[in-house]
Amino acid sequence: MFGRLGVMLMKEFIELKRDRWAMFRLIVPLLVQLFAFGYAATFTVTRVSTVILDLDQSQASRALISHFTATGIFDIVDVATDQRQITRDLNQGTATLAIVIHARFAANLANGKEAPLQVIVDGTNSNTALIALGYVSQIVALFQEDEAAHLLPASAGASAAPGTLTLSLQYQPWFNAGLSDRWFFIPGIIGTLILVQIVGLTAFAVVREREVGTLEQILVSPISSFEFILGKTVPFFLIGLADVALISIVGILWFGVPFVGNPFLMLLGSSLFLLSVLGLGLLLSTFSQTQQQAFALNFFLLNPFFILSGFAFPIAAMPRILQWFTYLNPLRYFLVVIRALFLKGVGFWTLFPDFAAMFLLGTGALAISMMRFSKSLD
Amino acid sequence: MSAAPPSVLTEGLTKIFGRFTAVDHIDLSIATGEVMGFIGPNGAGKSTTIRMLCGLLRPSAGRAVVAGFDVARKPEAVRAHIGYMSQKFSLYGDLTVRENLRFFGGLYSVRQSEMAERMRFAITMAGLEGRENALVNTLAGGWKQRLALGCAILHRPPVLFLDEPTSGVEPEARRRFWDLIHDLAAGGVTILVSTHYMDEAEYCNRVALIDRGRLAAIGTPSELRGHALGGALFELACSPLGAALAALHRAPGVIEANVFGDRLHVLLADASAAASLHTLLAAANVRAEAPRPIAPSLEDAFVRLVTRTRRPEAAS
Ligand SMILES: Nc1ncnc2c1ncn2[C@@H]1O[C@H](COP(=O)(O)OP(=O)(O)O)[C@@H](O)[C@H]1O
Ligand SMILES: [Mg+2]
């Protein structure tokens, strides 16, 4: 037995299934944007301006430097002669990274002692610094393998193993990155992409029925606007949840973002966020007669939602009046929730105000949409 | 008038959009099983009237009762008792014939036990046997139209509103569609069908002529044809038409003169005046054959009725 809601849902799913490009349109832009954002936020570090101070001037130290230059990631902008020059380069922003090879580097390495390598990073851009550091350790590991291969035949029979190269890392004093800084962006991307996709899908789906004329045929039937709206939104709710899962999994597995929170809280937070986003999409659809209008409205609205969410620009730094606007932005709350769950693993009550805000925004938008929906008959 | 209450009744039904009156005090009464034609040019207010009767628009003034329910007070009850085909084609093109039927049947809560029979009926009626699983987008216009009708009557509504169902459909399919309408009416369904094809008025039991939101005339086709004119109609082959028209409009005893194709239709107060037309036209340097009396078409009647109702407005 199907109720009216049942046939609505069935129709939506058949249409979705029959739309050969639906899966493509639903998934590919999400992944493309996730990777674009993900790499922009993390791995676009291809030319790290680097200053080198080689106090050893040995064959080994030159071999290490050539390992750095060979990758193309490190752009040697300066070869310093003393420590003061390095500090000046970093302070002036000429270089982001400094590599210091101390005297006796080669000797220590050959004698099986610790050969320290000092790396100093400019911490203002924590992402760049951290990624650069990742590369440094990879290169150092590679260098050590090569050196071991060289040294072993030379010291054949001798008991001495090659020395270990120890990395010592040093931040400039203003660098104060907590652990959470590192993965700040990827969780934020999840919320932003969901907002863009689901608002658009919902608004277009309703406006398309209006444009094609099927909406009038539905309105003249005994279906209530509640049943119609539910039938129209449930599929997108499920799509939205699948989106969250997909992006989260890619974020965790591919980008290595830690997830330390409770998955059920994540489900709850995502559901409430989707509620508010679906409400927003429906509200938008009640202001649009054609898909073109919906597209323009969507485009016009999403930018402020994105900018005033705390995704890239801290809310505390905004003018007071814009700060007020952020309270109406569901993305603001979801970003708090998703970052907290991914990175800090906080509990329900800590996030309760954000959950409540999304719930109120969602039900409010849905209620207004429903009212506007029945009024649209006049 | 029969004792049974009319299936559709409107009294002073009016719709005002802003400062524009789209429907202006329309009074209609449609008996059960009657096919009422709703005829008028584009923008006359046909769709607006029908949408008020369906409960899709709230009347600005007046009232309407459909299948015994007041449309303003009980729109839900009205919706359960009517079938409606909107002017826009409105089935789901990406669903199959069967899926569309099942969807609309479900919206109207057609009982599961009845559904198979109703679907079979609709498919047969539309002539879509063997194409049940075809996507609606792939069907030609006539089939789509008949399927839309099928979807609108799955729940056996006693009242049916069809808004220009035959527009854009080839003549053969239009005739078939009218056969279906008559079959339904024979089964007791009350039907209000709008069209801007004048010739389709002949298929209706009664015709309501609507112009600029007002009811210009209402009656059976023959009533309208006969009484509406108030004179005798003649066809006149002549040239040039312009000069002839000017001369006729000045002539006494000529009520109306209009161009129809390459000829004129002239309405005379008295049939005996026809003989004097020739000399009158010759004086205006018009070559004319002898006027031929004709039975007025409905189109003649409509043009005539519309001009008559518009005249007081122009004078004021
Ligand atoms: N929602 C509306 N708002 C404003 N004007 C409308 C609206 N709907 C129809 N109209 C106007 O009312 C008039 C009658 O329209 P309609 O009922 O569609 O005519 P018809 O169906 O006879 O062609 C037209 O001039 C149309 O522009
Ligand atoms: Mg119309």
Side-chain angles (χ1 to χ4, degrees):
Chain A
M1 281 303 296
F2 291 110
R4 284 190 283 263
L5 178 59
V7 294
M8 261 311 282
L9 284 174
M10 181 128 106
K11 181 216 100 190
E12 294 295 326
F13 282 117
I14 294 176
E15 286 195 288
L16 207 59
K17 187 189 83 188
R18 206 147 284 161
D19 184 352
R20 246 177 275 159
W21 288 99
M23 278 302 139
F24 180 85
R25 276 187 290 112
L26 288 178
I27 292 175
V28 170
L30 270 189
L31 287 182
V32 167
Q33 291 181 71
L34 175 63
F35 278 90
F37 270 112
Y39 278 107
T42 52
F43 295 130
T44 312
V45 185
T46 50
R47 304 208 69 79
V48 185
S49 46
T50 306
V51 52
I52 287 196
L53 175 58
D54 184 0
L55 297 169
D56 195 39
Q57 297 290 344
S58 61
Q59 201 188 335
S61 69
R62 276 191 290 273
L64 178 62
I65 291 170
S66 70
H67 267 83
F68 276 102
T69 48
T71 57
I73 294 162
F74 298 94
D75 198 6
I76 313 291
V77 291
D78 196 9
V79 177
T81 49
D82 60 8
Q83 202 82 34
R84 292 233 308 279
Q85 199 177 338
I86 283 183
T87 314
R88 200 178 53 238
D89 280 345
L90 287 177
N91 282 343
Q92 288 174 346
T94 319
T96 316
L97 188 91
I99 299 170
V100 183
I101 305 170
H102 290 285
R104 298 202 50 74
F105 175 77
N108 284 356
L109 213 52
N111 297 335
K113 292 190 191 152
E114 288 205 347
L117 176 70
Q118 191 189 9
V119 177
I120 309 165
V121 288
D122 170 4
T124 41
N125 187 338
S126 59
N127 267 313
T128 311
L130 285 158
I131 295 139
L133 214 57
Y135 284 121
V136 170
S137 42
Q138 279 176 29
I139 288 167
V140 166
L142 207 71
F143 171 78
Q144 262 185 305
E145 265 176 45
D146 286 2
E147 282 305 292
H150 281 144
L151 288 172
L152 274 177
S155 55
S159 60
T164 46
L165 203 163
T166 59
L167 259 181
S168 90
L169 176 61
Q170 200 178 310
Y171 292 119
Q172 290 287 45
W174 56 81
F175 183 55
N176 63 349
L179 225 196
S180 60
D181 246 67
R182 175 183 247 175
W183 312 117
F184 201 60
F185 274 98
I186 297 247
I189 292 164
I190 299 177
T192 310
L193 293 184
I194 299 294
L195 179 81
V196 171
Q197 176 165 85
I198 300 297
V199 168
L201 281 178
T202 315
F204 287 151
V206 176
V207 173
R208 196 175 124 242
E209 293 226 22
R210 195 197 301 281
E211 213 174 23
V212 174
T214 45
L215 185 62
E216 182 154 299
Q217 208 65 50
I218 285 182
L219 287 177
V220 84
S221 82
I223 198 170
S224 66
S225 50
F226 179 72
E227 286 167 315
F228 172 74
I229 282 179
L230 214 56
K232 227 43 212 172
T233 48
V234 164
F236 295 119
F237 180 78
L238 296 178
I239 288 173
L241 280 187
D243 279 352
V244 174
L246 175 74
I247 308 178
S248 301
I249 287 169
V250 174
I252 292 167
L253 295 185
W254 183 271
F255 290 107
V257 185
F259 184 88
V260 295
N262 180 338
F264 289 105
L265 284 185
M266 180 75 175
L267 182 65
L268 176 65
S270 307
S271 303
L272 289 171
F273 178 58
L274 283 168
L275 179 77
S276 55
V277 167
L278 289 168
L280 200 64
L282 278 173
L283 198 56
L284 204 148
S285 77
T286 65
F287 285 97
S288 322
Q289 294 300 315
T290 63
Q291 291 185 76
Q292 234 173 351
Q293 285 172 12
F295 183 81
L297 256 179
N298 194 17
F299 187 78
F300 174 76
L301 279 177
L302 286 178
N303 269 320
F305 273 104
F306 173 72
I307 291 165
L308 301 177
S309 65
F311 174 72
F313 314 105
I315 292 173
M318 293 173 189
R320 181 59 52 84
I321 195 153
L322 291 184
Q323 286 193 27
W324 281 108
F325 179 81
T326 64
Y327 287 113
L328 291 174
N329 186 353
L331 190 54
R332 172 206 165 116
Y333 306 105
F334 188 55
L335 287 183
V336 172
V337 169
I338 198 167
R339 280 173 177 162
L341 286 177
F342 259 91
L343 308 167
K344 298 182 201 145
V346 301
F348 175 79
W349 288 108
T350 316
L351 294 175
F352 179 75
D354 300 288
F355 287 155
M358 288 191 287
F359 178 77
L360 289 178
L361 282 177
T363 45
L366 282 173
I368 298 175
S369 311
M370 228 170 284
M371 263 163 50
R372 286 189 49 84
F373 206 73
S374 20
K375 264 198 174 166
S376 72
L377 300 182
D378 291 306
Chain B
M1 277 281 153
S2 65
S7 278
V8 177
L9 177 75
T10 75
E11 287 173 351
L13 193 63
T14 300
K15 183 68 194 180
I16 300 170
F17 294 115
R19 300 176 58 200
F20 174 71
T21 307
V23 174
D24 194 358
H25 291 89
I26 288 208
D27 299 313
L28 275 181
S29 169
I30 312 177
T32 303
E34 191 175 21
V35 179
M36 172 71 89
F38 212 27
I39 305 233
N42 276 333
K46 304 183 293 294
S47 298
T48 307
T49 307
I50 290 179
R51 298 178 78 228
M52 281 193 282
L53 292 174
C54 292
L56 284 171
L57 281 176
R58 245 180 287 278
S60 308
R63 70 184 198 112
V65 178
V66 173
F69 304 100
D70 188 300
V71 292
R73 285 197 218 117
K74 293 217 164 12
E76 308 83 22
V78 168
R79 282 173 205 176
H81 289 85
I82 59 167
Y84 169 57
M85 261 178 82
S86 74
Q87 187 171 351
K88 260 188 185 173
F89 169 77
S90 46
L91 296 177
Y92 291 93
D94 49 354
L95 297 192
T96 64
V97 169
R98 201 191 292 279
E99 285 162 350
N100 267 289
L101 287 167
R102 190 163 290 140
F103 174 69
F104 285 105
L107 280 193
Y108 284 94
S109 309
V110 173
R111 257 183 277 115
Q112 204 65 23
S113 55
E114 243 190 309
M115 195 61 200
E117 188 271 322
R118 295 304 294 160
M119 278 173 62
R120 211 169 319 117
F121 172 77
I123 286 167
T124 316
M125 185 189 86
L128 282 165
E129 300 99 330
R131 311 188 67 168
E132 292 89 344
N133 294 319
L135 291 183
V136 165
N137 269 340
T138 63
L139 301 177
W143 271 300
K144 282 188 192 170
Q145 229 86 7
R146 289 193 293 273
L147 179 60
L149 179 65
C151 286
I153 57 162
L154 280 174
H155 56 296
R156 302 182 192 275
V159 180
L160 200 50
F161 296 111
L162 309 176
D163 196 357
E164 303 206 11
T166 53
S167 71
V169 176
E170 64 277 24
E172 171 55 31
R174 272 168 59 190
R175 247 189 318 277
R176 246 187 104 172
F177 196 89
W178 277 98
D179 288 343
L180 295 178
I181 290 178
H182 284 288
D183 290 346
L184 288 168
V189 180
T190 308
I191 301 169
L192 177 63
V193 52
S194 78
T195 178
H196 65 261
Y197 295 117
M198 297 289 182
D199 59 314
E200 291 190 338
E202 305 277 3
Y203 299 129
C204 304
N205 299 133
R206 277 199 303 155
V207 172
L209 177 63
I210 180 169
D211 178 58
R212 298 181 176 189
R214 301 218 186 121
L215 196 61
I218 186 165
T220 65
S222 56
E223 274 172 356
L224 290 182
R225 230 197 312 268
H227 307 315
L229 294 182
L233 191 65
F234 289 87
E235 185 184 66
L236 190 62
C238 57
S239 111
L241 291 178
L245 265 186
L248 288 168
H249 281 154
R250 281 194 307 271
V254 174
I255 302 173
E256 245 337 288
N258 290 299
V259 179
F260 269 83
D262 59 347
R263 282 138 201 260
L264 294 183
H265 282 190
V266 185
L267 184 66
L268 299 176
D270 188 349
S272 60
S276 62
L277 281 185
H278 197 266
T279 40
L280 188 129
L281 289 170
N285 283 327
V286 174
R287 279 181 293 106
E289 290 171 18
R292 208 162 51 79
I294 52 168
S297 72
L298 267 179
E299 205 163 346
D300 287 315
F302 293 146
V303 173
R304 176 79 201 103
L305 286 162
V306 165
T307 1
R308 188 195 288 168
T309 48
R310 279 184 187 179
R311 201 164 282 157
E313 195 181 28
S316 64

Short mmCIF file of all heavy atoms in Angstrom, two decimals, chain B residues 47 87 163-164, ligand 2:
data_model
loop_
_atom_site.label_atom_id
_atom_site.label_comp_id
_atom_site.label_asym_id
_atom_site.label_seq_id
_atom_site.Cartn_x
_atom_site.Cartn_y
_atom_site.Cartn_z
N SER B 47 -8.83 30.26 -18.70
CA SER B 47 -8.00 29.50 -17.76
C SER B 47 -8.19 30.00 -16.34
O SER B 47 -8.24 29.21 -15.39
CB SER B 47 -6.52 29.61 -18.14
OG SER B 47 -6.30 29.06 -19.40
N GLN B 87 -3.74 23.73 -19.04
CA GLN B 87 -3.46 24.16 -20.40
C GLN B 87 -2.07 23.71 -20.84
O GLN B 87 -1.86 23.33 -21.98
CB GLN B 87 -3.56 25.68 -20.45
CG GLN B 87 -3.47 26.25 -21.84
CD GLN B 87 -3.79 27.73 -21.82
OE1 GLN B 87 -4.22 28.28 -20.83
NE2 GLN B 87 -3.58 28.39 -22.94
N ASP B 163 -8.69 22.31 -19.90
CA ASP B 163 -8.31 23.64 -20.38
C ASP B 163 -7.53 23.51 -21.68
O ASP B 163 -6.37 23.08 -21.68
CB ASP B 163 -7.47 24.34 -19.31
CG ASP B 163 -7.37 25.83 -19.56
OD1 ASP B 163 -7.91 26.30 -20.59
OD2 ASP B 163 -6.77 26.53 -18.73
N GLU B 164 -8.18 23.86 -22.77
CA GLU B 164 -7.59 23.75 -24.11
C GLU B 164 -6.87 22.42 -24.32
O GLU B 164 -5.69 22.39 -24.65
CB GLU B 164 -6.64 24.92 -24.37
CG GLU B 164 -7.35 26.24 -24.20
CD GLU B 164 -6.72 27.36 -25.01
OE1 GLU B 164 -5.86 27.07 -25.86
OE2 GLU B 164 -7.12 28.51 -24.80
MG MG C 2 -5.91 29.75 -21.21
#
